């Protein structure tokens, strides 16, 4: 009897922990590289109805607001060298670094009305 009760408590705690992990923003770390160049966009003047993107010969950055699973602000950055996606909203400032020729994808629960999306690279 004790064993069944323990299993129910254990399963309940595991389910709660898993659910909390899904609802919390991505874990991000401080960048270990210093960057010479940055590109930033702000939510001012944009509607939150679709994603935006900007690209040139050096980089690509897709950014915006997503309502697919949860309301989230996101920035996905691509560059030929080491780079970092950055996002600042009412929940805090976040960054995620990526190696050359890969996407740095950062998705954070939406908060506030003045969102800063950006990337840094050399």
């Amino acid at each position: 009897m004790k064993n069944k009760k323990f299993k129910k408590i254990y399963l309940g705690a595991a389910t709660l922990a898993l659910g909390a992990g899904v609802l919390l923003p991505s874990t991000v770390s401080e960048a270990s590289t210093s960057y010479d160049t940055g590109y930033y966009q702000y939510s001012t003047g944009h509607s939150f109805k679709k994603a935006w993107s900007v690209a040139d010969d050096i980089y690509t950055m897709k950014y915006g607001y997503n309502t697919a699973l949860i309301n989230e602000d996101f920035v996905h950055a691509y560059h030929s060298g080491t780079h970092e996606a950055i996002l600042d909203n009412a929940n805090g400032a976040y960054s995620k670094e990526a190696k050359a020729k890969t996407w740095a994808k950062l998705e954070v629960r939406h908060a506030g009305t003045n969102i800063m999306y950006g990337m840094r690279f050399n």
Side-chain angles (χ1 to χ4, degrees):
M1 184 96 165
K2 272 186 174 180
N3 196 15
K4 285 184 180 182
K5 189 173 184 178
F6 175 77
K7 282 183 181 179
K8 284 183 181 180
I9 292 171
Y10 178 77
L11 285 174
T15 303
L16 182 61
L18 179 61
V22 170
L23 296 176
L24 294 175
S26 302
T27 303
V28 293
S29 60
E30 289 293 320
S32 59
T33 306
S34 61
Y35 297 97
D36 299 330
T37 308
Y39 182 84
Y40 308 94
Q41 285 290 328
Y42 297 85
S43 59
T44 307
H46 287 71
S47 75
F48 284 111
K49 295 182 181 181
K50 65 176 187 164
W52 316 293
S53 65
V54 62
D56 70 5
D57 294 340
I58 300 172
Y59 63 85
T60 300
M61 184 174 86
K62 296 178 182 180
Y63 60 102
Y65 178 71
N66 182 1
T67 59
L69 295 175
I70 61 170
N71 294 343
E72 63 187 5
D73 298 312
F74 71 90
V75 59
H76 298 171
Y78 182 89
H79 189 267
S80 60
T82 302
H83 57 286
E84 176 183 37
I86 54 177
L87 190 142
D88 190 354
N89 68 12
N91 285 327
Y94 304 88
S95 65
K96 187 165 186 182
E97 192 173 75
K99 295 178 182 177
K101 298 182 182 178
T102 62
W103 285 92
K105 294 184 176 184
L106 185 56
E107 299 163 353
V108 178
R109 184 175 296 279
H110 175 71
T113 56
N114 297 315
I115 318 304
M116 188 275 298
Y117 309 91
M119 67 180 292
R120 291 186 278 236
F121 51 89
N122 289 327

